[in-house]
Amino acid sequence: MKTFFQPLRRVTQLLLLSAVVSTNVAVAQPTQTNTLSVSAAFEFTSLDPSKNGFVYSRMQILETLVDVDENGLLLPALAKNWQVSDDAKTWTFELRGNVHFHDGSLMDADAVVNSLTIAQSKHGALKKAPIDSIRAEGSNKVKITLSSPYTLLGAVLANYANGILSPDAYGKDGDVLALSATGPYQLYQFSPPHKLVVEKFEDYWGKKASIPYASYLTGHRAESRVLQARSGQADIVFGLAPASLPSLKRLPNLDIHSNPIPRTIVLKLNSGHPFMKDVNARKALSLAINRQGIAKGILRVPGSEADQLLPASMSNWHLANVTSKTEAEAGTPESLLASLGWKKNSNGMLERDGEQFHLTIITYADRPELTTVATAIQAQWQAIGIDTKVEVTNSSAIPMGHQDGSLEVALIARNYGFIADPLGVMLSDFGSNGGGDWGAMNWNNKALSADLMALEETSDPATYKNIAQRSAQIIFDERPMIPVSSYVQQTSVNKRVKGFHFDPFERSYFLNDMEFVK
């Protein structure tokens, strides 16, 4: 058993060191020939799964009790099975045997209870679950008792924030000091915010990796990631700009993968804004968007245009009777705005009571297509007389603008698969508190809030679908958020790698399924 992580007691020391953490200096070191290099847009700053667990889950360091398949169905992971009581208030998980943490210790029920209890105290979906207790039952069972039925629990436990770590990974206050988890790769180098390297874990309980090392490198700029793909500096590059695809597809050393994911490019509206508080104004803004043109001309994925928030693959929440023509039955953008008193001035711009219709769209550059999509929407809204400004900023400006009320419109790529059951995100975005940082703003619907709360306790599939469909219809009719396009992840894979496949829920890069071509 190898221990690669120094027992540093303070995360700040660790961050300052920003160095190789392996103590196993006698064995092979990572080189270009034995290391799979991954490039993506997002930074990491902490070892804590509740903050940056998405990176550690994708790099297969971190694992959870429950996994998720490509259709969002729950699968056994560190728990080999589980049972739910008839009243749906007690969940009992039987743990997989002979699972080692990266520090060499064996996973048991006490370790899992410790990890989940700490996760419950931190920011994340587990904190919101109606949990009365998390207890060990012997050495291999964990029982979670709820104060009320909560159908989301399995999906919440599959979230990276609830990854299982060794008891020795934590400080006395629950701080994460070492990323001693159970995955097929263990941490080798930690250099936040841009680089980490993992090494294959020989004592992994499942399919062992064949590639000795893998690195993750943050590439903020889409242009830089394209260069990494072109030059071979990175074997796998996620988040390619659509405009770069034609030239990359011509390169003989690359394969390009286009994979739909349960993420939607959507406009978040401030429904309390004087110009958007009437539903007809929001419908007019939606009708003015040429989705097909954006999908084909900018995203280069014809057919990815979206009239609903959730994709057809999430059938409980997707309305089968809605087409691109459904919304048009309400009228035209011009007629809807005219009904609200807006008239064009001599410059062709809309005015009402001497005030010009002006909106500012903010977006962020982490996802390269957002800026160009925002610019296209700007032109399309300008065409109907709305003076529209686009500002490209940091993604953190969106929750800040939501909280201080300054946000007017934001173009975002909302991940409805953040928790495998989209109900978790829907509750966050449209729940009883009038919306969330990445959801509705200054908009609340009592019927929708009641339906979402009912779904938390609904286990019957037919009843669940009926309520989810009703909820989706309310959101479609009221347009507190305007969908633009389903998201397609564009990825380049160097042909020296085989075995790549994509996780639509973005939980894993499946590194242990890949090999170098010999």
Side-chain angles (χ1 to χ4, degrees), residues 120 130-135 143-147:
Q120 190 188 11
I131 293 175
D132 274 344
S133 66
I134 305 174
R135 293 189 293 110
K143 179 179 286 186
I144 299 179
T145 305
L146 306 170
S147 59

Side-chain angles (χ1 to χ4, degrees), residues 17 37 60 62 93 116 129 142 183 197 248 256 269 323 325 334 346 367 420 433 438 460 489 516:
L17 283 174
S37 55
Q60 292 189 281
L62 189 66
F93 296 86
L116 293 180
V142 172
V197 179
L248 290 176
I256 304 299
L269 305 182
T323 68
K325 297 180 180 178
E334 293 81 0
S346 59
R367 296 190 179 276
N433 60 358
W438 295 89
D460 177 68
Q489 178 70 270
F516 288 132

Side-chain angles (χ1 to χ4, degrees), residues 298-360:
I298 295 176
L299 301 175
R300 298 175 190 268
V301 186
S304 65
E305 60 270 19
D307 298 289
Q308 303 181 50
L309 292 184
L310 273 71
S313 59
M314 292 180 162
S315 58
N316 282 339
W317 296 86
H318 188 83
L319 300 169
N321 60 339
V322 168
T323 68
S324 58
K325 297 180 180 178
T326 305
E327 191 178 48
E329 295 170 357
T332 64
E334 293 81 0
S335 66
L336 290 171
L337 292 170
S339 71
L340 299 174
W342 292 100
K343 297 179 181 178
K344 287 191 175 180
N345 61 22
S346 59
N347 296 321
M349 306 308 291
L350 290 170
E351 278 189 10
R352 184 174 65 184
D353 300 329
E355 191 172 19
Q356 188 163 306
F357 200 143
H358 171 87
L359 291 174
T360 297

Side-chain angles (χ1 to χ4, degrees), residues 99-112:
V99 174
H100 287 88
F101 289 111
H102 298 151
D103 63 9
S105 61
L106 272 172
M107 182 188 76
D108 61 13
D110 287 335
V112 172

Side-chain angles (χ1 to χ4, degrees), residues 14 23 69 74 124 172 238 270 325 334 345 405 486 498:
L14 182 63
T23 59
D69 73 6
L74 300 181
K172 62 180 181 180
F238 293 98
N270 180 353
K325 297 180 180 178
E334 293 81 0
N345 61 22
S486 298
K498 66 177 182 179

